[in-house]
């Protein structure tokens, strides 16, 4: 029975990574659609979301089935609760990619705005966060998972700077208000992608260390699971 459960957990991880890989590609293409003003690419990102939603439902059902059938404890229970949360975070990440693609299409209705932030550099940081969150899951790398929180703080700082700079531009050039609103929403979606990557890292850290690091520096020891 234990061997069967281990096999099922490996299959579950494979599904999670498949879903994560799709979301990672969606992020890359959504960002590229903005930079290149490519409507076809943006539409392809939107179309892929149904595949992610289907995988989310399958993974959630599998987790619940394994919990009900095997009544796992300790590490196996941590893994399944982690998988449920990571599953949800990846699906939300894909939703944010769809939102970015929709903003990309909206922006086609307006002339290109003069670049005022280094968007490629900011998005590169966020893309690397998503990649590292998935790598941390594969290799059960707690330190890499925890380090994502620091990079998320960096993304938050970039986001605040972007918003301030864009608001200054719109105050001086009110004719740009419509495209400016789309950019503000786009920035917000990108910032949320960084949050979701950090969330995945927190769940991986919990899996490996048995400690909750969300919300505060207070940790909760998962050893209570064995009591």
């Amino acid at each position: 029975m234990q061997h069967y459960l281990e096999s099922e957990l490996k299959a579950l991880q494979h599904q999670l990574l498949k879903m994560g890989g799709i979301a990672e590609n969606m992020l890359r293409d959504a960002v590229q659609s903005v930079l290149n003003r490519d409507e076809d690419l943006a539409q392809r990102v939107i179309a892929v979301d149904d595949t992610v939603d289907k995988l989310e439902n399958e993974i959630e059902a599998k987790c619940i089935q394994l919990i009900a059938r095997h009544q796992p404890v300790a590490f196996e229970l941590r893994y399944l609760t982690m998988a449920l949360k990571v599953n949800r975070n990846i699906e939300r990440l894909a939703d944010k990619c769809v939102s970015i693609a929709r903003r990309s299409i909206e922006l086609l209705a307006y002339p290109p705005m003069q670049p005022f932030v280094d968007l490629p550099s900011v998005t590169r940081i966020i893309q690397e966060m998503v990649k590292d969150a998935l790598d941390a899951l594969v290799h059960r790398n707690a330190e890499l998972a925890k380090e994502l929180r620091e990079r998320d703080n960096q993304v938050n700082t970039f986001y605040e700077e972007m918003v301030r700079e864009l608001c200054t531009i719109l105050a001086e050039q009110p004719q740009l208000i419509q495209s400016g609103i789309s950019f503000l929403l786009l920035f917000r979606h990108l910032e949320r992608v960084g949050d979701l990557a950090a969330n995945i890292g927190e769940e991986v850290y919990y899996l490996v260390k048995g400690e909750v690091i969300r919300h505060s520096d207070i940790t909760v020891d998962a050893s209570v699971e064995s009591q």
Side-chain angles (χ1 to χ4, degrees):
M1 185 65 73
Q2 182 64 26
H3 176 73
Y4 175 79
L5 179 57
E6 289 175 1
S7 176
E8 288 294 295
L9 293 181
K10 287 180 180 178
L12 183 63
Q13 176 165 295
H14 178 75
Q15 277 190 295
L16 277 174
L17 294 175
K18 177 182 177 180
M19 183 180 174
I22 294 171
E24 191 175 0
N25 290 337
M26 288 174 71
L27 176 60
R28 179 200 62 209
D29 290 345
V31 168
Q32 205 60 41
S33 76
V34 175
L35 297 175
N36 294 344
R37 294 174 65 84
D38 187 334
E39 182 175 2
D40 289 342
L41 188 56
Q43 292 288 4
R44 289 202 293 272
V45 171
I46 294 169
V48 171
D49 191 47
D50 286 344
T51 301
V52 174
D53 290 343
K54 183 173 182 292
L55 277 169
E56 184 207 9
N57 289 338
E58 291 174 357
I59 291 169
E60 181 177 335
K62 189 64 176 178
C63 288
I64 293 171
Q65 179 189 69
L66 289 173
I67 291 171
R69 181 180 297 171
H70 297 284
Q71 299 182 1
V73 296
F75 181 83
E76 287 80 10
L77 180 58
R78 285 212 308 275
Y79 189 92
L80 288 168
T81 56
M82 179 278 302
L84 282 168
K85 293 178 182 179
V86 168
N87 182 43
R88 179 57 179 152
N89 278 294
I90 293 175
E91 190 276 333
R92 290 170 64 195
L93 194 156
D95 284 345
K96 290 302 171 185
C97 295
V98 169
S99 296
I100 292 167
R102 287 176 175 156
R103 298 293 83 75
S104 176
I105 294 170
E106 283 180 5
L107 286 166
L108 294 174
Y110 309 103
M113 287 185 67
Q114 182 70 24
F116 57 92
V117 293
D118 189 356
L119 190 58
S121 293
V122 175
T123 54
R124 194 176 303 118
I125 294 171
I126 295 171
Q127 288 171 309
E128 288 173 354
M129 286 181 67
V130 173
K131 177 182 180 299
D132 287 348
L134 297 174
D135 285 348
L137 175 60
V138 171
H139 301 294
R140 297 181 183 174
N141 187 331
E143 295 310 311
L144 178 59
K146 189 174 184 180
E147 189 264 336
L148 289 167
R149 300 177 78 194
E150 295 302 318
R151 275 189 275 170
D152 186 43
N153 291 333
Q154 183 182 5
V155 170
N156 292 341
T157 299
F158 274 126
Y159 171 68
E160 292 168 2
E161 292 173 357
M162 287 178 185
V163 170
R164 283 196 297 269
E165 191 162 353
L166 181 56
C167 287
T168 299
I169 291 173
L170 296 182
E172 297 171 351
Q173 303 179 60
Q175 71 275 15
L176 300 177
I177 189 68
Q178 294 298 325
S179 57
I181 290 172
S182 291
F183 263 112
L184 280 172
L185 292 171
L186 187 151
F187 294 155
R188 178 56 178 162
H189 297 318
L190 282 171
E191 188 270 337
R192 284 295 295 142
V193 170
D195 289 343
L196 292 165
N199 288 352
I200 293 170
E202 290 170 354
E203 298 305 330
V204 172
Y205 190 89
Y206 170 72
L207 171 69
V208 178
K209 296 291 188 179
E211 297 176 356
V212 177
I213 57 173
R214 293 190 305 275
H215 307 310
S216 70
D217 293 330
I218 299 174
T219 59
V220 177
D221 192 340
S223 62
V224 293
E225 294 172 356
S226 61
Q227 294 179 2

